[in-house]
Amino acid sequence: MNRVFRSLFCLLILIFLTAPIVVVGGVSLNVQKHLLFPPDGLSLRWYTELLTETAWLIPIQNSLVIAAVSSLMALSIALPLAYFLWRYRVFYARALFMLGIAPFMLPPVITALGFLSFWATVGLYGNIAATIISHAIFFVTLPLVTISLGFESIDREIVEAAETMGADSRVVFRTVIFPMVRSYMVSGYAFCFVLSLNEYIVAYMVSGFTVETLPIKIFNALRYGYTPVMASVTVVFVLLAALIFGLIGRFGDLPRLLGAMAPENRNG
Amino acid sequence: MIGEKPRGLGAHLPVFYPAVMLGVFFVIPFGIMVAISFFARQPGGFYTPAFVMANYRSLFTELFARVMVFSIYIAALCAVICVAVGFPFTYFITRMRRKAQVIWLVLLVSVLSLSAVIIGFAWSLMLSQTAGLSNLFVWLGLMEHPVSWSPGFWALLCGLCYVAFPYTVLVLYPPLSRLDPYLPEAALTLGASPLKTFFSVVVGSLRGPIVASLIMVFAFTLGTYLLPQILGRPQHWTLSVLITDEAIYHSNLPFSAAMAVFFMIVSLALVALTMMVGKGGTAGQR
């Protein structure tokens, strides 16, 4: 296909993907409490409101705590599981791996309803701990997949060499294996963190009325009258996601994480 | 040694904690949900343990059928659009230099990670009267007055495609990046036109992944629950919205669970179908 068509096509896609964000960015700069684009002047008051109003600060704090803790928990589940499945051959390995993939593969509303049934039965419905654990399970797929990729990238001969030199499995893990999967763990954590920040249905079903997260707050604001603060919080979200994935793209191997098998064959 | 059988209970130790966590917090919740779908509903939002089929019988209503048909219709439409546009686009990306690839991937993953709430809000602004596209058209002289295009069917379709497009590209990215670059090159050398090369060699050798991606995007879109509420009207509600609505606003957890179980069976059938399709028809891969 010729070059002009190709560039034009990619440009149109770029516009489609960025136009809504540009409009939101413009709206967030309005001086008055209007949702106008182009904005009626430039001001950052909706960003300061975001950082000073408790109505927004509490959801921000909830979201950050939930994302940070649940991602750590997801990592703690995924790391030993990925290690075990890589290290040993067992007949139930495939079943366990599928179990780790399933929460993310099913339509989210089903997983969310499962969590709701469970927490209502246990009596922790509406508790922040319920949201944290639910998110950890819901997103465990991401670190599981990235860390498994990390283990697969380890040259088995290196491990065997370490063992031949007399290192026991603990020492091998600490000095050889762990440093090699560390960057994959960071990527898995980052994916988990960003998705947890943006997650709505599970957080809403499990404790939406008591633990307000940022997406829940935005949705409620959508229902009861728009304000430009919603635009400024959106911009912050977009920038945060772009920053985190940009860092993974810069320091990690994003094409490989996303499934390209032979990135080294492309020149660049 | 790697790939050996674990010896003794000690070797099984690392798998213990993940297995317990997934068992307690995923398998058990699932079991409870399936159980509740058979429970009898009491007035006032409670339910008592029982084994009744009433919740499943409630699935055979006109409302449920209409919502189901609409969910399938809009998800299928969205899947066809996204794969038709996403396939050539993904092909272009995989032929770019690595640096350009990474930049596109960062953009796509960032958009994909955005909350549906945020995307719904952004598109409702894009299509609104005060801040929307129609203002641009008025300025260009194409329209007389700015108008509001949201909520409505097309607004919903735009939002759904915006969510599903990055997903489509990421689903198609692995098979396309594994496509042997010499294959299209050989076709070109042998005198095929670029268009013919694309359709017969690239599309032809990836028929399996294309069908698999269609099903995956369809299933992904079928699960949407927020956009129909923000960008659509009540007649545009999907099955996921209905399930949430029953559970939260009508406090009818048994009926909601029955719908979810039905929905899960449909989804699992789709996953099985994807796996069957994905196995065959991947020629030209390294």
Side-chain angles (χ1 to χ4, degrees), chain A residues 221-245:
Chain A
L222 264 174
R223 281 192 175 165
Y224 307 115
Y226 287 56
T227 131
V229 182
M230 295 158 63
S232 61
V233 71
T234 301
V235 171
V236 171
F237 262 85
V238 172
L239 291 180
L240 192 66
L243 175 75
I244 289 175
F245 293 123

Side-chain angles (χ1 to χ4, degrees), chain A residues 1-2 5-6 9-11 13-14 16-21 23-24 27 35-38 73 76-78 80-81 83-90 92 94 96 98-100 102-103 105-111 113-121 125 133 137 140 156 159-160 163 191 194-195 197-201 204-205 209 215-216 218-219 222-223 226-227 230-231 233-234 237-238 241-242 245-246 249-250 252-256 258-268, chain B residues 1-7 11-15 17-19 21-30 32-33 36 47 84-86 88-89 91-92 94-99 101-102 104-118 120-126 128 130-132 135 158 161-162 165-167 170 173-179 181 194-195 198-199 216 219 223 225-226 229-230 240 243-244 247-249 253 256-257 260 263-264 267-268 271 275 286:
Chain A
M1 295 213 192
N2 75 55
F5 171 74
R6 190 185 282 219
F9 186 71
C10 289
L11 184 70
I13 303 256
L14 186 67
F16 173 70
L17 290 176
T18 50
I21 298 166
V23 171
V24 172
V27 167
L35 298 163
L36 290 174
F37 187 85
M73 206 164 168
S76 79
I77 298 170
L81 186 56
Y83 171 73
F84 185 78
L85 296 181
W86 168 74
R87 179 81 209 229
Y88 299 109
R89 191 177 321 160
V90 287
Y92 54 83
R94 207 177 144 72
L96 262 180
M98 288 305 272
L99 199 59
M105 284 317 219
L106 287 170
V109 75
I110 296 177
T111 314
L113 198 66
F115 286 137
L116 169 65
S117 317
F118 178 75
W119 296 115
T121 309
Y125 174 76
I133 296 173
I137 301 292
V140 75
R156 300 197 161 202
V159 179
E160 271 160 35
E163 278 172 350
F191 273 102
V194 173
L195 279 149
L197 271 189
N198 281 285
E199 204 284 328
Y200 175 84
I201 189 82
Y204 175 68
M205 286 259 219
F209 294 111
I216 296 174
I218 299 173
F219 190 58
L222 264 174
R223 281 192 175 165
Y226 287 56
T227 131
M230 295 158 63
V233 71
T234 301
F237 262 85
V238 172
F245 293 123
R250 177 75 186 73
D253 191 348
L254 198 57
R256 186 178 138 80
L258 296 175
M261 289 316 271
E264 72 281 4
N265 288 352
R266 307 263 175 280
N267 37 2
Chain B
M1 286 296 271
I2 292 157
E4 62 185 358
K5 287 223 184 319
R7 258 168 304 189
H12 274 97
L13 216 57
V15 86
Y17 165 71
M21 289 300 276
L22 285 170
V24 171
F25 295 114
F26 183 65
V27 178
I28 291 180
F30 226 80
I32 294 178
M33 187 185 76
I36 288 179
Y47 45 86
V85 179
F89 175 68
Y91 177 67
F92 295 158
T94 56
R95 306 293 112 163
M96 288 174 185
R97 280 179 301 117
R98 190 180 152 81
K99 210 168 191 172
Q101 276 193 44
V102 170
W104 272 110
L105 291 175
V106 168
L107 176 69
L108 289 162
V109 180
S110 302
V111 169
L112 186 63
S113 74
L114 284 183
S115 173
V117 185
I118 284 177
F121 169 64
W123 274 93
S124 70
L125 276 183
M126 268 283 278
S128 70
T130 52
N135 292 282
C158 277
C161 287
Y162 189 81
F165 184 76
Y167 181 77
L170 295 182
Y173 182 71
L176 269 167
S177 70
R178 270 173 246 174
L179 182 77
L195 215 61
F198 180 76
F199 280 106
M216 283 179 78
Y225 48 92
L226 267 172
Q229 295 179 63
I230 302 174
S240 299
I243 293 174
T244 323
I248 304 284
Y249 293 103
L253 206 52
S256 175
F263 193 17
M264 187 182 67
S267 308
L268 287 180
V271 170
M275 283 177 161
R286 281 181 300 186

Side-chain angles (χ1 to χ4, degrees), chain B residues 140-160:
Chain B
L140 288 171
L142 296 170
M143 281 169 66
E144 296 257 314
H145 312 284
V147 290
S148 172
W149 284 317
S150 169
F153 178 81
W154 297 104
L156 177 58
L157 191 63
C158 277
L160 287 179

Side-chain angles (χ1 to χ4, degrees), chain B residues 15-276:
Chain B
V15 86
F16 184 71
Y17 165 71
V20 167
M21 289 300 276
L22 285 170
V24 171
F25 295 114
F26 183 65
V27 178
I28 291 180
F30 226 80
I32 294 178
M33 187 185 76
V34 174
I36 288 179
S37 75
F38 292 105
F39 284 4
R41 193 200 179 202
Q42 304 297 321
F46 297 101
Y47 45 86
T48 44
F51 188 83
V52 295
M53 293 304 287
N55 305 307
Y56 286 93
R57 258 198 298 276
S58 306
L59 295 180
F60 297 98
T61 58
E62 203 216 315
L63 173 75
F64 185 78
R66 211 187 41 178
V67 169
M68 193 73 209
V69 167
F70 180 77
S71 308
I72 290 172
Y73 167 64
I74 198 159
L77 192 62
C78 175
V80 169
I81 294 172
C82 284
V83 173
V85 179
F87 187 84
F89 175 68
T90 315
Y91 177 67
F92 295 158
I93 290 190
T94 56
R95 306 293 112 163
M96 288 174 185
R97 280 179 301 117
R98 190 180 152 81
K99 210 168 191 172
Q101 276 193 44
V102 170
I103 292 173
W104 272 110
L105 291 175
V106 168
L107 176 69
L108 289 162
V109 180
S110 302
V111 169
L112 186 63
S113 74
L114 284 183
S115 173
V117 185
I118 284 177
I119 290 169
F121 169 64
W123 274 93
S124 70
L125 276 183
M126 268 283 278
L127 301 171
S128 70
Q129 198 176 354
T130 52
L133 263 182
S134 58
N135 292 282
L136 182 70
F137 291 153
V138 170
W139 186 73
L140 288 171
L142 296 170
M143 281 169 66
E144 296 257 314
H145 312 284
V147 290
S148 172
W149 284 317
S150 169
F153 178 81
W154 297 104
L156 177 58
L157 191 63
C158 277
L160 287 179
C161 287
Y162 189 81
V163 175
F165 184 76
Y167 181 77
T168 314
V169 176
L170 295 182
V171 166
L172 286 167
Y173 182 71
L176 269 167
S177 70
R178 270 173 246 174
L179 182 77
D180 194 334
Y182 296 115
L183 215 62
E185 224 166 86
L188 287 171
T189 318
L190 291 170
S193 72
L195 215 61
K196 181 152 190 208
T197 303
F198 180 76
F199 280 106
S200 61
V201 176
V202 180
V203 175
S205 60
L206 291 173
R207 228 171 288 138
I210 290 175
V211 178
S213 70
L214 269 173
I215 303 172
M216 283 179 78
V217 177
F218 174 74
F220 178 79
T221 314
L222 206 55
T224 186
Y225 48 92
L226 267 172
L227 290 179
Q229 295 179 63
I230 302 174
L231 296 172
R233 296 176 187 285
Q235 70 262 32
H236 302 134
W237 279 14
T238 54
L239 194 53
S240 299
V241 183
L242 208 61
I243 293 174
T244 323
D245 201 53
E246 271 314 316
I248 304 284
Y249 293 103
H250 299 277
S251 303
N252 192 348
L253 206 52
F255 180 41
S256 175
M259 284 196 281
V261 170
F262 175 80
F263 193 17
M264 187 182 67
I265 293 168
V266 173
S267 308
L268 287 180
L270 285 171
V271 170
L273 201 63
T274 321
M275 283 177 161
M276 263 162 56

Side-chain angles (χ1 to χ4, degrees), chain A residues 17-255:
Chain A
L17 290 176
T18 50
I21 298 166
V22 171
V23 171
V24 172
V27 167
S28 75
L29 298 173
N30 270 303
V31 176
Q32 301 295 321
K33 196 172 177 172
H34 297 310
L35 298 163
L36 290 174
F37 187 85
D40 62 351
L42 298 177
S43 91
L44 290 175
R45 63 178 281 209
W46 307 111
Y47 290 88
T48 43
E49 185 157 315
L50 179 64
L51 295 173
T52 48
E53 288 278 320
T54 42
W56 287 95
L57 276 178
I58 290 170
I60 290 175
Q61 195 194 339
N62 282 339
S63 279
L64 287 176
V65 168
I66 291 168
V69 180
S70 68
S71 308
L72 207 60
M73 206 164 168
L75 204 62
S76 79
I77 298 170
L79 180 66
L81 186 56
Y83 171 73
F84 185 78
L85 296 181
W86 168 74
R87 179 81 209 229
Y88 299 109
R89 191 177 321 160
V90 287
F91 66 95
Y92 54 83
R94 207 177 144 72
L96 262 180
F97 190 74
M98 288 305 272
L99 199 59
I101 301 285
F104 201 64
M105 284 317 219
L106 287 170
V109 75
I110 296 177
T111 314
L113 198 66
F115 286 137
L116 169 65
S117 317
F118 178 75
W119 296 115
T121 309
V122 175
L124 276 174
Y125 174 76
N127 194 306
I128 193 167
T131 315
I132 290 173
I133 296 173
S134 303
H135 267 192
I137 301 292
F138 189 47
F139 292 123
V140 75
T141 309
L142 299 159
L144 184 62
V145 170
T146 55
I147 296 173
S148 296
L149 277 172
F151 280 124
E152 275 162 31
S153 74
I154 295 174
D155 199 338
R156 300 197 161 202
E157 281 161 17
I158 297 175
V159 179
E160 271 160 35
E163 278 172 350
T164 316
M165 310 286 261
D168 63 20
S169 61
R170 264 238 245 8
V171 174
V172 172
F173 186 84
R174 199 161 39 85
T175 58
V176 181
I177 299 172
F178 184 73
M180 290 176 98
V181 293
R182 196 167 33 201
S183 69
Y184 291 89
M185 287 170 61
V186 173
S187 303
Y189 184 86
F191 273 102
C192 224
F193 184 84
V194 173
L195 279 149
S196 167
L197 271 189
N198 281 285
E199 204 284 328
Y200 175 84
I201 189 82
V202 170
Y204 175 68
M205 286 259 219
V206 167
S207 37
F209 294 111
T210 46
V211 184
E212 201 177 31
T213 63
L214 214 38
I216 296 174
K217 171 73 185 163
I218 299 173
F219 190 58
N220 289 341
L222 264 174
R223 281 192 175 165
Y224 307 115
Y226 287 56
T227 131
V229 182
M230 295 158 63
S232 61
V233 71
T234 301
V235 171
V236 171
F237 262 85
V238 172
L239 291 180
L240 192 66
L243 175 75
I244 289 175
F245 293 123
L247 285 174
I248 296 179
R250 177 75 186 73
F251 298 106
D253 191 348
L254 198 57

